[in-house]
Amino acid sequence: MKVLITRKLPRVAIDLLLKNNIAVQVHDSDEPIKFRELVRYGKDADGILSLLTDRIDEKIINRLEKCKVIANYAVGYNNINTKAAKAKNIIVTNTPDILTDATADLTLALLLSVCRRVIESEMFTRSNKFTGWQPELFLGIELKGKTLGVVGAGRIGRAVAKRAAAFGMNIIYFNKSKKTEFELELNAQKVSLTKLIKKSDFVSLHLPLNSETQNLINSEKLELLKPNAVIINTARGEIIDENYLIAMLKKKRIFGAGFDVYQNEPKVNKQLLKLNNVVLLPHIGSATFEARSAMAELAAKNIINVLKGLPPITPVEL
Ligand code: DGY
């Protein structure tokens, strides 16, 4: 049996597959695998360990001759055409849970960086502009007492809310279903998306990208943000109307925004690079040693299970 791993990733995945007598073909590069290579090496592979940067569309799936499982090295799987996979009886898996804390930590890091202008201040100091303490140097916003609107109360959204509550924030959330335990634990209140955007000082996005959430935070919704609002996106860029948000940031219509993901990733809109009320990260939500290695292990285990005829550990709903 053979598995294609589409990029260099923590060694644990390869070791586990080899230990289970599964041959491994690694696209050993820091660049995404090209369509041609994906088809060439994926064609006769029994499984594929893919990344969120690999577009596994219908065209590719239809060319896979033996594939039984596509294990995505991410919790999000919007890069895979799951309908086409289902039609070919290919199981798709993801890596939930193990990156929740890493992503929630990074969300708070972004929120604090925007509110306390950490990056701007750091650049100021680094460029030798600090000439002494000043009463109004880089004034920012305190977190305590503010309202955080969590859009999507899944694992990551709830972990973010927990951290926010420890900072003294009030929590409101938008979610399809009511999360009673979460409400009781953090005194969180479920509201409509419109109400959440109107009432929140900070809005943080934690939804998967799909046809329902694409452009969910559109221009009308963005217009409802409070004048001093901060918006943080560690989910997927396509959930927000990025151009409209940039126009608002340019006009200083809101206080700021933190981005870990972008609409045309990996391209970052050039206008964003000129703004100092934003913090821009290169999609590193899950980038901790702990999370990335656990993700590699889980992806490999999912493949091993399927190829042994056992149920996958974390299948996605197809
Ligand atoms: C995911 O797993 O979907 C994240 O975006 C990766 O950091």
Side-chain angles (χ1 to χ4, degrees):
M1 273 183 293
K2 189 186 94 174
V3 163
L4 167 65
I5 301 183
T6 64
R7 190 95 67 93
K8 204 159 79 186
L9 44 74
R11 177 79 212 177
V12 58
I14 301 176
D15 290 344
L16 260 174
L17 291 164
L18 292 177
K19 228 169 111 185
N20 282 274
N21 299 319
I22 297 169
V24 174
Q25 166 103 47
V26 185
H27 172 67
D28 201 5
S29 161
D30 287 323
E31 294 298 313
I33 191 167
K34 300 225 163 47
F35 175 86
R36 213 168 357 108
E37 289 166 302
L38 192 45
V39 171
R40 184 165 151 216
Y41 300 117
K43 207 171 158 184
D44 65 343
D46 300 276
I48 296 179
L49 200 164
S50 60
L51 268 60
L52 58 89
T53 44
D54 304 323
R55 229 175 93 97
I56 316 269
D57 56 15
E58 196 173 5
K59 234 162 117 187
I60 289 185
I61 289 175
N62 285 339
R63 284 174 166 81
L64 305 176
E65 289 169 4
K66 292 170 69 186
C67 187
K68 293 184 192 63
V69 53
I70 300 171
N72 215 33
Y73 182 64
V75 66
Y77 50 89
N78 52 290
N79 56 307
I80 300 173
N81 185 331
T82 50
K83 252 194 186 160
K86 189 179 180 178
K88 284 201 74 175
N89 281 326
I90 297 174
I91 291 171
V92 178
T93 68
N94 66 345
T95 60
D97 284 331
I98 49 196
L99 46 68
T100 297
D101 288 320
T103 310
D105 287 350
L106 193 89
T107 305
L108 262 294
L110 265 177
L111 181 63
L112 279 163
S113 302
V114 176
C115 287
R116 297 303 304 273
R117 303 169 67 185
V118 173
I119 309 297
E120 254 188 294
S121 309
E122 205 269 353
M123 283 181 350
F124 173 87
T125 313
R126 207 180 272 269
S127 52
N128 244 342
K129 289 183 182 152
F130 180 41
T131 54
W133 188 89
Q134 290 175 46
E136 296 196 335
L137 187 62
F138 290 112
L139 296 185
I141 300 176
E142 259 174 49
L143 303 193
K144 190 174 169 195
K146 300 296 187 306
T147 296
L148 173 72
V150 177
V151 183
R155 296 179 193 88
I156 299 173
R158 297 201 306 268
V160 167
K162 210 165 175 173
R163 284 156 175 76
F167 276 90
M169 290 186 242
N170 310 309
I171 314 297
I172 56 177
Y173 73 100
F174 165 73
N175 200 61
K176 266 190 190 160
S177 59
K178 190 172 162 71
K179 299 280 179 184
T180 310
E181 220 177 284
F182 169 58
E183 292 188 5
L184 292 174
E185 187 189 2
L186 300 181
N187 198 20
Q189 196 197 346
K190 185 173 183 284
V191 293
S192 69
L193 184 56
T194 302
K195 190 163 178 193
L196 180 142
I197 295 178
K198 277 185 179 166
K199 286 191 76 174
S200 297
D201 299 295
F202 313 134
V203 174
S204 192
L205 305 184
H206 303 287
L207 292 168
L209 174 65
N210 54 41
S211 54
E212 278 175 47
T213 61
Q214 182 149 23
N215 203 36
L216 181 73
I217 313 295
N218 56 18
S219 54
E220 290 90 59
K221 295 272 177 352
L222 286 168
E223 271 304 334
L224 303 174
L225 283 165
K226 284 185 179 180
N228 248 356
V230 170
I231 186 158
I232 305 292
N233 192 2
T234 54
R236 287 293 183 267
E238 295 92 325
I239 297 174
I240 300 189
D241 182 339
E242 193 176 272
N243 282 325
Y244 201 84
L245 177 59
I246 292 172
M248 286 174 72
L249 286 160
K250 266 182 165 173
K251 288 189 282 192
K252 303 215 183 322
R253 160 66 181 78
I254 60 171
F255 186 79
F259 295 73
D260 188 40
V261 290
Y262 305 86
Q263 202 167 336
N264 297 309
E265 211 171 302
K267 282 195 193 116
V268 177
N269 189 313
K270 293 228 161 45
Q271 298 181 72
L272 274 175
L273 306 178
K274 295 184 200 144
L275 299 175
N276 57 13
N277 51 354
V278 298
V279 174
L280 308 173
L281 302 181
H283 203 152
I284 54 166
S286 64
T288 62
F289 294 111
E290 293 88 345
R292 289 284 164 89
S293 136
M295 287 160 68
E297 191 175 332
L298 179 56
K301 283 182 173 166
N302 270 317
I303 293 176
I304 293 163
N305 271 21
V306 174
L307 297 189
K308 280 188 175 168
L310 299 169
I313 306 163
T314 48
V316 307
E317 242 175 71
L318 297 183

PDB file of all heavy atoms in Angstrom, residues 35-57:
ATOM      1  N   PHE A  35      -0.665  20.518  -9.524  1.00  0.00           N
ATOM      2  CA  PHE A  35      -1.745  19.650 -10.013  1.00  0.00           C
ATOM      3  C   PHE A  35      -1.176  18.398 -10.695  1.00  0.00           C
ATOM      4  O   PHE A  35      -1.556  17.275 -10.403  1.00  0.00           O
ATOM      5  CB  PHE A  35      -2.639  20.451 -10.984  1.00  0.00           C
ATOM      6  CG  PHE A  35      -3.704  19.633 -11.638  1.00  0.00           C
ATOM      7  CD1 PHE A  35      -4.931  19.439 -11.014  1.00  0.00           C
ATOM      8  CD2 PHE A  35      -3.496  19.043 -12.887  1.00  0.00           C
ATOM      9  CE1 PHE A  35      -5.918  18.671 -11.613  1.00  0.00           C
ATOM     10  CE2 PHE A  35      -4.472  18.274 -13.487  1.00  0.00           C
ATOM     11  CZ  PHE A  35      -5.685  18.100 -12.855  1.00  0.00           C
ATOM     12  N   ARG A  36      -0.206  18.640 -11.589  1.00  0.00           N
ATOM     13  CA  ARG A  36       0.366  17.544 -12.372  1.00  0.00           C
ATOM     14  C   ARG A  36       0.967  16.455 -11.469  1.00  0.00           C
ATOM     15  O   ARG A  36       0.760  15.269 -11.652  1.00  0.00           O
ATOM     16  CB  ARG A  36       1.439  18.111 -13.297  1.00  0.00           C
ATOM     17  CG  ARG A  36       1.544  17.387 -14.610  1.00  0.00           C
ATOM     18  CD  ARG A  36       2.396  18.112 -15.658  1.00  0.00           C
ATOM     19  NE  ARG A  36       2.919  19.396 -15.266  1.00  0.00           N
ATOM     20  CZ  ARG A  36       4.219  19.631 -14.995  1.00  0.00           C
ATOM     21  NH1 ARG A  36       5.098  18.679 -15.037  1.00  0.00           N
ATOM     22  NH2 ARG A  36       4.630  20.848 -14.685  1.00  0.00           N
ATOM     23  N   GLU A  37       1.713  16.927 -10.442  1.00  0.00           N
ATOM     24  CA  GLU A  37       2.372  15.963  -9.539  1.00  0.00           C
ATOM     25  C   GLU A  37       1.362  15.256  -8.647  1.00  0.00           C
ATOM     26  O   GLU A  37       1.496  14.072  -8.359  1.00  0.00           O
ATOM     27  CB  GLU A  37       3.379  16.694  -8.667  1.00  0.00           C
ATOM     28  CG  GLU A  37       4.577  17.160  -9.451  1.00  0.00           C
ATOM     29  CD  GLU A  37       5.380  18.155  -8.659  1.00  0.00           C
ATOM     30  OE1 GLU A  37       4.790  19.189  -8.266  1.00  0.00           O
ATOM     31  OE2 GLU A  37       6.549  17.906  -8.416  1.00  0.00           O
ATOM     32  N   LEU A  38       0.359  16.012  -8.252  1.00  0.00           N
ATOM     33  CA  LEU A  38      -0.681  15.422  -7.397  1.00  0.00           C
ATOM     34  C   LEU A  38      -1.365  14.269  -8.139  1.00  0.00           C
ATOM     35  O   LEU A  38      -1.609  13.195  -7.579  1.00  0.00           O
ATOM     36  CB  LEU A  38      -1.693  16.518  -7.017  1.00  0.00           C
ATOM     37  CG  LEU A  38      -2.701  16.240  -5.925  1.00  0.00           C
ATOM     38  CD1 LEU A  38      -2.089  15.575  -4.710  1.00  0.00           C
ATOM     39  CD2 LEU A  38      -3.364  17.534  -5.487  1.00  0.00           C
ATOM     40  N   VAL A  39      -1.630  14.494  -9.412  1.00  0.00           N
ATOM     41  CA  VAL A  39      -2.275  13.443 -10.209  1.00  0.00           C
ATOM     42  C   VAL A  39      -1.290  12.294 -10.445  1.00  0.00           C
ATOM     43  O   VAL A  39      -1.623  11.126 -10.251  1.00  0.00           O
ATOM     44  CB  VAL A  39      -2.788  14.020 -11.548  1.00  0.00           C
ATOM     45  CG1 VAL A  39      -3.265  12.906 -12.467  1.00  0.00           C
ATOM     46  CG2 VAL A  39      -3.926  15.014 -11.298  1.00  0.00           C
ATOM     47  N   ARG A  40      -0.051  12.658 -10.774  1.00  0.00           N
ATOM     48  CA  ARG A  40       0.951  11.632 -11.089  1.00  0.00           C
ATOM     49  C   ARG A  40       1.181  10.687  -9.901  1.00  0.00           C
ATOM     50  O   ARG A  40       1.176   9.479 -10.040  1.00  0.00           O
ATOM     51  CB  ARG A  40       2.251  12.341 -11.479  1.00  0.00           C
ATOM     52  CG  ARG A  40       3.320  11.399 -11.915  1.00  0.00           C
ATOM     53  CD  ARG A  40       4.425  12.162 -12.637  1.00  0.00           C
ATOM     54  NE  ARG A  40       5.683  11.482 -12.458  1.00  0.00           N
ATOM     55  CZ  ARG A  40       6.853  12.084 -12.323  1.00  0.00           C
ATOM     56  NH1 ARG A  40       6.910  13.396 -12.358  1.00  0.00           N
ATOM     57  NH2 ARG A  40       7.945  11.395 -12.182  1.00  0.00           N
ATOM     58  N   TYR A  41       1.378  11.283  -8.710  1.00  0.00           N
ATOM     59  CA  TYR A  41       1.678  10.446  -7.544  1.00  0.00           C
ATOM     60  C   TYR A  41       0.425   9.962  -6.818  1.00  0.00           C
ATOM     61  O   TYR A  41       0.464   8.969  -6.104  1.00  0.00           O
ATOM     62  CB  TYR A  41       2.589  11.195  -6.569  1.00  0.00           C
ATOM     63  CG  TYR A  41       3.904  11.582  -7.188  1.00  0.00           C
ATOM     64  CD1 TYR A  41       4.268  12.920  -7.329  1.00  0.00           C
ATOM     65  CD2 TYR A  41       4.770  10.593  -7.661  1.00  0.00           C
ATOM     66  CE1 TYR A  41       5.469  13.277  -7.909  1.00  0.00           C
ATOM     67  CE2 TYR A  41       5.985  10.946  -8.256  1.00  0.00           C
ATOM     68  CZ  TYR A  41       6.320  12.288  -8.372  1.00  0.00           C
ATOM     69  OH  TYR A  41       7.504  12.626  -8.960  1.00  0.00           O
ATOM     70  N   GLY A  42      -0.673  10.702  -6.987  1.00  0.00           N
ATOM     71  CA  GLY A  42      -1.896  10.331  -6.270  1.00  0.00           C
ATOM     72  C   GLY A  42      -2.675   9.234  -6.983  1.00  0.00           C
ATOM     73  O   GLY A  42      -3.422   8.478  -6.364  1.00  0.00           O
ATOM     74  N   LYS A  43      -2.472   9.147  -8.285  1.00  0.00           N
ATOM     75  CA  LYS A  43      -3.208   8.218  -9.151  1.00  0.00           C
ATOM     76  C   LYS A  43      -3.289   6.794  -8.595  1.00  0.00           C
ATOM     77  O   LYS A  43      -4.360   6.206  -8.497  1.00  0.00           O
ATOM     78  CB  LYS A  43      -2.499   8.206 -10.512  1.00  0.00           C
ATOM     79  CG  LYS A  43      -3.356   7.871 -11.658  1.00  0.00           C
ATOM     80  CD  LYS A  43      -2.582   8.112 -12.929  1.00  0.00           C
ATOM     81  CE  LYS A  43      -3.269   7.264 -13.954  1.00  0.00           C
ATOM     82  NZ  LYS A  43      -2.718   7.207 -15.214  1.00  0.00           N
ATOM     83  N   ASP A  44      -2.125   6.261  -8.202  1.00  0.00           N
ATOM     84  CA  ASP A  44      -2.136   4.880  -7.723  1.00  0.00           C
ATOM     85  C   ASP A  44      -1.913   4.792  -6.207  1.00  0.00           C
ATOM     86  O   ASP A  44      -1.555   3.750  -5.677  1.00  0.00           O
ATOM     87  CB  ASP A  44      -1.099   4.044  -8.469  1.00  0.00           C
ATOM     88  CG  ASP A  44       0.315   4.520  -8.182  1.00  0.00           C
ATOM     89  OD1 ASP A  44       0.468   5.659  -7.690  1.00  0.00           O
ATOM     90  OD2 ASP A  44       1.260   3.759  -8.422  1.00  0.00           O
ATOM     91  N   ALA A  45      -2.136   5.916  -5.506  1.00  0.00           N
ATOM     92  CA  ALA A  45      -1.966   5.896  -4.046  1.00  0.00           C
ATOM     93  C   ALA A  45      -3.246   5.375  -3.389  1.00  0.00           C
ATOM     94  O   ALA A  45      -4.349   5.630  -3.866  1.00  0.00           O
ATOM     95  CB  ALA A  45      -1.656   7.305  -3.540  1.00  0.00           C
ATOM     96  N   ASP A  46      -3.059   4.647  -2.272  1.00  0.00           N
ATOM     97  CA  ASP A  46      -4.231   4.140  -1.543  1.00  0.00           C
ATOM     98  C   ASP A  46      -4.798   5.211  -0.606  1.00  0.00           C
ATOM     99  O   ASP A  46      -5.943   5.127  -0.174  1.00  0.00           O
ATOM    100  CB  ASP A  46      -3.827   2.914  -0.715  1.00  0.00           C
ATOM    101  CG  ASP A  46      -3.284   1.815  -1.599  1.00  0.00           C
ATOM    102  OD1 ASP A  46      -4.090   1.053  -2.134  1.00  0.00           O
ATOM    103  OD2 ASP A  46      -2.051   1.758  -1.799  1.00  0.00           O
ATOM    104  N   GLY A  47      -3.939   6.167  -0.289  1.00  0.00           N
ATOM    105  CA  GLY A  47      -4.393   7.264   0.568  1.00  0.00           C
ATOM    106  C   GLY A  47      -3.588   8.510   0.285  1.00  0.00           C
ATOM    107  O   GLY A  47      -2.474   8.437  -0.239  1.00  0.00           O
ATOM    108  N   ILE A  48      -4.167   9.668   0.632  1.00  0.00           N
ATOM    109  CA  ILE A  48      -3.450  10.938   0.452  1.00  0.00           C
ATOM    110  C   ILE A  48      -3.505  11.704   1.765  1.00  0.00           C
ATOM    111  O   ILE A  48      -4.572  11.840   2.377  1.00  0.00           O
ATOM    112  CB  ILE A  48      -4.083  11.780  -0.684  1.00  0.00           C
ATOM    113  CG1 ILE A  48      -3.921  11.028  -2.017  1.00  0.00           C
ATOM    114  CG2 ILE A  48      -3.449  13.165  -0.773  1.00  0.00           C
ATOM    115  CD1 ILE A  48      -4.524  11.740  -3.204  1.00  0.00           C
ATOM    116  N   LEU A  49      -2.343  12.176   2.203  1.00  0.00           N
ATOM    117  CA  LEU A  49      -2.313  13.076   3.359  1.00  0.00           C
ATOM    118  C   LEU A  49      -2.124  14.476   2.779  1.00  0.00           C
ATOM    119  O   LEU A  49      -1.068  14.802   2.263  1.00  0.00           O
ATOM    120  CB  LEU A  49      -1.181  12.673   4.299  1.00  0.00           C
ATOM    121  CG  LEU A  49      -1.294  13.164   5.746  1.00  0.00           C
ATOM    122  CD1 LEU A  49      -0.355  12.408   6.661  1.00  0.00           C
ATOM    123  CD2 LEU A  49      -1.103  14.641   5.885  1.00  0.00           C
ATOM    124  N   SER A  50      -3.210  15.255   2.810  1.00  0.00           N
ATOM    125  CA  SER A  50      -3.211  16.541   2.098  1.00  0.00           C
ATOM    126  C   SER A  50      -3.145  17.713   3.070  1.00  0.00           C
ATOM    127  O   SER A  50      -3.429  17.577   4.251  1.00  0.00           O
ATOM    128  CB  SER A  50      -4.469  16.642   1.249  1.00  0.00           C
ATOM    129  OG  SER A  50      -5.613  16.555   2.081  1.00  0.00           O
ATOM    130  N   LEU A  51      -2.822  18.881   2.500  1.00  0.00           N
ATOM    131  CA  LEU A  51      -2.766  20.124   3.278  1.00  0.00           C
ATOM    132  C   LEU A  51      -3.883  21.053   2.836  1.00  0.00           C
ATOM    133  O   LEU A  51      -4.399  20.909   1.725  1.00  0.00           O
ATOM    134  CB  LEU A  51      -1.422  20.808   3.022  1.00  0.00           C
ATOM    135  CG  LEU A  51      -0.292  20.465   3.989  1.00  0.00           C
ATOM    136  CD1 LEU A  51       0.015  18.984   3.954  1.00  0.00           C
ATOM    137  CD2 LEU A  51       0.946  21.251   3.628  1.00  0.00           C
ATOM    138  N   LEU A  52      -4.177  22.058   3.669  1.00  0.00           N
ATOM    139  CA  LEU A  52      -5.252  22.980   3.286  1.00  0.00           C
ATOM    140  C   LEU A  52      -4.891  23.819   2.061  1.00  0.00           C
ATOM    141  O   LEU A  52      -5.752  24.443   1.456  1.00  0.00           O
ATOM    142  CB  LEU A  52      -5.654  23.869   4.467  1.00  0.00           C
ATOM    143  CG  LEU A  52      -4.598  24.746   5.136  1.00  0.00           C
ATOM    144  CD1 LEU A  52      -4.517  26.093   4.476  1.00  0.00           C
ATOM    145  CD2 LEU A  52      -4.937  24.918   6.602  1.00  0.00           C
ATOM    146  N   THR A  53      -3.618  23.800   1.695  1.00  0.00           N
ATOM    147  CA  THR A  53      -3.195  24.541   0.504  1.00  0.00           C
ATOM    148  C   THR A  53      -3.329  23.702  -0.767  1.00  0.00           C
ATOM    149  O   THR A  53      -3.058  24.190  -1.862  1.00  0.00           O
ATOM    150  CB  THR A  53      -1.725  24.969   0.671  1.00  0.00           C
ATOM    151  OG1 THR A  53      -0.994  23.854   1.194  1.00  0.00           O
ATOM    152  CG2 THR A  53      -1.588  26.143   1.609  1.00  0.00           C
ATOM    153  N   ASP A  54      -3.717  22.446  -0.643  1.00  0.00           N
ATOM    154  CA  ASP A  54      -3.920  21.601  -1.834  1.00  0.00           C
ATOM    155  C   ASP A  54      -5.387  21.647  -2.232  1.00  0.00           C
ATOM    156  O   ASP A  54      -6.243  21.303  -1.426  1.00  0.00           O
ATOM    157  CB  ASP A  54      -3.582  20.121  -1.525  1.00  0.00           C
ATOM    158  CG  ASP A  54      -2.182  19.949  -0.995  1.00  0.00           C
ATOM    159  OD1 ASP A  54      -1.281  20.670  -1.463  1.00  0.00           O
ATOM    160  OD2 ASP A  54      -1.988  19.096  -0.102  1.00  0.00           O
ATOM    161  N   ARG A  55      -5.619  22.052  -3.457  1.00  0.00           N
ATOM    162  CA  ARG A  55      -7.005  22.060  -3.939  1.00  0.00           C
ATOM    163  C   ARG A  55      -7.340  20.679  -4.485  1.00  0.00           C
ATOM    164  O   ARG A  55      -6.949  20.333  -5.597  1.00  0.00           O
ATOM    165  CB  ARG A  55      -7.140  23.109  -5.048  1.00  0.00           C
ATOM    166  CG  ARG A  55      -8.315  24.024  -4.864  1.00  0.00           C
ATOM    167  CD  ARG A  55      -8.235  25.068  -5.956  1.00  0.00           C
ATOM    168  NE  ARG A  55      -9.024  24.633  -7.109  1.00  0.00           N
ATOM    169  CZ  ARG A  55     -10.250  25.016  -7.331  1.00  0.00           C
ATOM    170  NH1 ARG A  55     -10.831  25.842  -6.499  1.00  0.00           N
ATOM    171  NH2 ARG A  55     -10.908  24.609  -8.383  1.00  0.00           N
ATOM    172  N   ILE A  56      -8.051  19.905  -3.674  1.00  0.00           N
ATOM    173  CA  ILE A  56      -8.400  18.554  -4.118  1.00  0.00           C
ATOM    174  C   ILE A  56      -9.809  18.635  -4.703  1.00  0.00           C
ATOM    175  O   ILE A  56     -10.806  18.381  -4.019  1.00  0.00           O
ATOM    176  CB  ILE A  56      -8.343  17.540  -2.947  1.00  0.00           C
ATOM    177  CG1 ILE A  56      -7.104  17.745  -2.082  1.00  0.00           C
ATOM    178  CG2 ILE A  56      -8.488  16.124  -3.463  1.00  0.00           C
ATOM    179  CD1 ILE A  56      -5.894  16.976  -2.446  1.00  0.00           C
ATOM    180  N   ASP A  57      -9.868  19.022  -5.972  1.00  0.00           N
ATOM    181  CA  ASP A  57     -11.173  19.239  -6.599  1.00  0.00           C
ATOM    182  C   ASP A  57     -11.642  17.978  -7.348  1.00  0.00           C
ATOM    183  O   ASP A  57     -10.962  16.946  -7.342  1.00  0.00           O
ATOM    184  CB  ASP A  57     -11.129  20.466  -7.521  1.00  0.00           C
ATOM    185  CG  ASP A  57     -10.039  20.340  -8.569  1.00  0.00           C
ATOM    186  OD1 ASP A  57      -9.537  19.218  -8.762  1.00  0.00           O
ATOM    187  OD2 ASP A  57      -9.691  21.346  -9.186  1.00  0.00           O
TER     188      ASP A  57
END
